[in-house]
Amino acid sequence: MTNSLTNTARLLGAGLRALLVLTLVTGVIYPLVVTGVAQGIFPGKANGSEIEADGKVVGSSLIGQSYSLPLKEGQETPEPDLRWFQGRPANGLGSNSVNTRYKLILSGATNRSADNKDLLDWVTAAKAAVVKDNSTADYKVRSRDVPADAVTSSGSGLDPDISPRYADIQVHRIAERNGLSVARVQRLVDEHTDGRTLGFLGEPRVNVLELNIALKGLVAKG
């Protein structure tokens, strides 16, 4: 009996030591090393790819934002502020949900088939709005020119980027609303267009937050 108790105590002691060592290695040392390496080599990515403007953090390059007017009485979804470049629709989880305002509480896709009536209605309404909002006195957007990312949300509903085509469609409206030349706004878009990663991965894209920060600076200069 004494030997059995002694063996059991030894096993418990060995197990406890193993637990303490593994906790120290995997729960303390490893996270500290990974965090230290990340902060030393990739501090921007490690801290959430933050974007600063006017000396303060205004968002992340990985998360989209809304550029909307204040809600009017009785409204559930705010109208877009057309002085700014607009991102992709954020109605991945349905209209008038928290996700329509780029809230991080929820994210997701519509999970609706291509022939789903609700999805077709959303796309049709979004396309009509893009045509209407971006047509100016001397520039008319045609329905066939509206790219897919202008009328559909991404898989997460939080996509921070738009296609160069969608940015280009907005150039005339941005110029008109802010008293700028079309050529200067177009140059701004071109300067903030990123190509495919490594030259072949993904698609060319424009980060909307970074573009709007640059636009704000341009407007301030007059």
Side-chain angles (χ1 to χ4, degrees):
M1 178 65 71
T2 301
N3 289 337
S4 297
L5 291 175
T6 301
N7 290 335
T8 300
R10 288 175 179 173
L11 290 173
L12 289 174
L16 181 59
R17 287 193 296 274
L19 175 63
L20 293 174
V21 170
L22 289 174
T23 299
L24 179 64
V25 172
T26 62
V28 179
I29 297 176
Y30 178 74
L32 287 176
V33 170
V34 171
T35 300
V37 171
Q39 288 290 345
I41 302 177
F42 309 107
K45 292 182 178 180
N47 292 323
S49 300
E50 296 173 338
I51 295 179
E52 293 188 3
D54 300 325
K56 62 181 180 180
V57 175
V58 295
S60 167
S61 64
L62 304 177
I63 302 295
Q65 295 190 22
S66 59
Y67 303 91
S68 304
L69 296 170
L71 278 172
K72 298 177 182 177
E73 186 176 352
Q75 279 187 327
E76 294 183 349
T77 301
E79 298 175 0
D81 188 340
L82 298 179
R83 296 172 300 169
W84 305 103
F85 284 94
Q86 297 294 314
R88 296 184 66 172
N91 59 346
L93 298 179
S95 61
N96 297 326
S97 71
V98 292
N99 207 42
T100 64
R101 294 181 288 281
Y102 284 102
K103 298 297 184 183
L104 302 184
I105 299 173
L106 296 172
S107 67
T110 62
N111 291 325
R112 287 171 167 78
S113 63
D115 60 352
N116 179 270
K117 185 180 184 303
D118 288 339
L119 180 61
L120 292 174
D121 288 344
W122 292 342
V123 169
T124 300
K127 180 175 286 191
V130 169
V131 170
K132 176 178 178 293
D133 291 344
N134 293 286
S135 292
T136 65
D138 57 358
Y139 176 77
K140 301 301 179 184
V141 176
R142 297 171 298 183
S143 180
R144 65 176 179 270
D145 294 332
V146 178
D149 63 299
V151 297
T152 57
S153 60
S154 64
S156 67
L158 302 173
D159 194 344
D161 303 322
I162 57 175
S163 66
R165 283 184 59 199
Y166 187 25
D168 290 344
I169 281 179
Q170 302 184 59
V171 164
H172 286 76
R173 183 250 300 165
I174 293 293
E176 182 180 78
R177 298 269 177 164
N178 291 283
L180 301 169
S181 72
V182 170
R184 186 65 190 92
V185 177
Q186 184 63 62
R187 188 158 63 250
L188 195 69
V189 170
D190 295 340
E191 291 169 353
H192 287 80
T193 298
D194 295 321
R196 292 180 172 86
T197 304
L198 300 179
F200 66 94
L201 295 175
E203 296 293 332
R205 60 201 179 277
V206 181
N207 186 281
V208 182
L209 175 56
E210 293 176 352
L211 181 59
N212 277 332
I213 290 173
L215 173 62
K216 181 180 179 181
L218 184 62
V219 171
K221 292 178 182 177

